[in-house]
Amino acid sequence: MILVTGASGKTGKSIVKKLAENGIPVRAMVRTSTQMEEMRKLGAKEAGIADMKDGISVNSIFKGVEKVYHICPNMSPDEESIGDLMIRAAQENGLSQFVYHSVLHPQVESMPHHWKKMHVEEKLMKSKLVFTILQPAAYMQNILGYWDKMMQGGVYEIPYSTRSQSSMIDLKDLAEVVFKVMTEPDHYYATYELCGCEQLSADQIAEIVSQKSGKKVVARDLDRNTWEIEMRSKNMAEYARETLLKMFQYYEQFDFIGNCNQLTWLLGRSPNTFGNFIEEFILENKIWE
Ligand SMILES: NC(=O)c1ccc[n+]([C@@H]2O[C@H](COP(=O)([O-])OP(=O)(O)OC[C@H]3O[C@@H](n4cnc5c(N)ncnc54)[C@H](OP(=O)(O)O)[C@@H]3O)[C@@H](O)[C@H]2O)c1
């Protein structure tokens, strides 16, 4: 049995689905009974409610599982203390592998959410647990959050330079790697950087979306003060707001690019391209209808 934490988020859903489709018994850790139902529909054998910030609750959901895939909630100020609780529960329950969902370039101290993941990686290395660390780049799926605005207004608007590049990964490729590293022993104590092979700017992303959808879309950078005012009005938590601002600043100055060799090797094929990803999305969602 594999425990997937943060199972009902964007990342968790794709991983639960992939493991379950491949016949792996999954226990999904969620927060509500509605999410439990959703996890069962995705194929999870079990779903249980637990609070990642509560040691007793975390320990009880670890009972009877062999391995864990740990996904911390996005922009969590508690990533390190949550990591401590997960590691302790894995040790106390004798897990045979701890796979940690980290991020590309956790070494970057000026992005607090990366730096916290670096510290969790270090804790794992000192834990005496059998670990595997995955360091994914930004997901192609993030762009879909802008889809309606792109199709309605013809604008892809982001709070950093539209020339800044990233080497995005398709979550489906990531899920395939998770299945592999959790079912083959060759990946014990490995750390893998997981990136697509393209280095795309927002301008290029808009161009590709235009070509594939037939709707002219242009990228535009949004002033970060305007973004911040909007997020305050939407009550975004202060840690998330400040951390995202630091991330945008970093992307603008340095891009967010890694290498696709490890992902290509793990998949045994080329990673998905962004153009193909958008084509698949259009087809799956019958967007022309
Ligand atoms: N997005 C990217 O491009 C990208 C790239 C690389 C790495 N990552 C990393 O991927 C991770 C996951 O991102 P995501 O967007 O999939 O996360 P997410 O949507 O925030 O999902 C995390 C899940 O954890 C649950 N959760 C929150 N607090 C909890 C608690 N105290 N106890 C139990 N469950 C709790 C949430 O439940 P509710 O739904 O009820 O809130 C949510 O379903 C993050 O650590 C992020 O840094 C993301």
Side-chain angles (χ1 to χ4, degrees), residues 8-9 11 31 35 51-52 71-74 101 117 139 142:
S8 56
T11 314
R31 290 217 281 193
Q35 290 168 343
D51 180 357
M52 283 193 210
I71 306 167
C72 186
N74 206 13
H101 187 83
K117 284 180 164 59
Y139 311 149
N142 295 347

Side-chain angles (χ1 to χ4, degrees), residues 2-21 26-30 35 38-40 42-44 46 52 69-74 101 136 139 141-142 171-172 174-176 178-179 182:
I2 292 180
L3 173 67
V4 178
T5 69
S8 56
K10 191 195 294 185
T11 314
K13 278 182 197 155
S14 69
I15 286 161
V16 168
K17 185 164 176 279
K18 183 72 187 180
L19 293 175
E21 273 172 6
V26 172
R27 180 181 295 167
M29 175 178 176
V30 294
Q35 290 168 343
E38 198 181 1
M39 290 297 116
R40 289 203 190 94
L42 281 179
E46 295 177 14
M52 283 193 210
Y69 190 81
H70 172 47
I71 306 167
C72 186
N74 206 13
H101 187 83
Y139 311 149
Q141 278 75 2
N142 295 347
L171 264 177
K172 281 191 192 155
L174 173 73
E176 207 169 311
V178 174
F179 170 67
M182 296 199 81

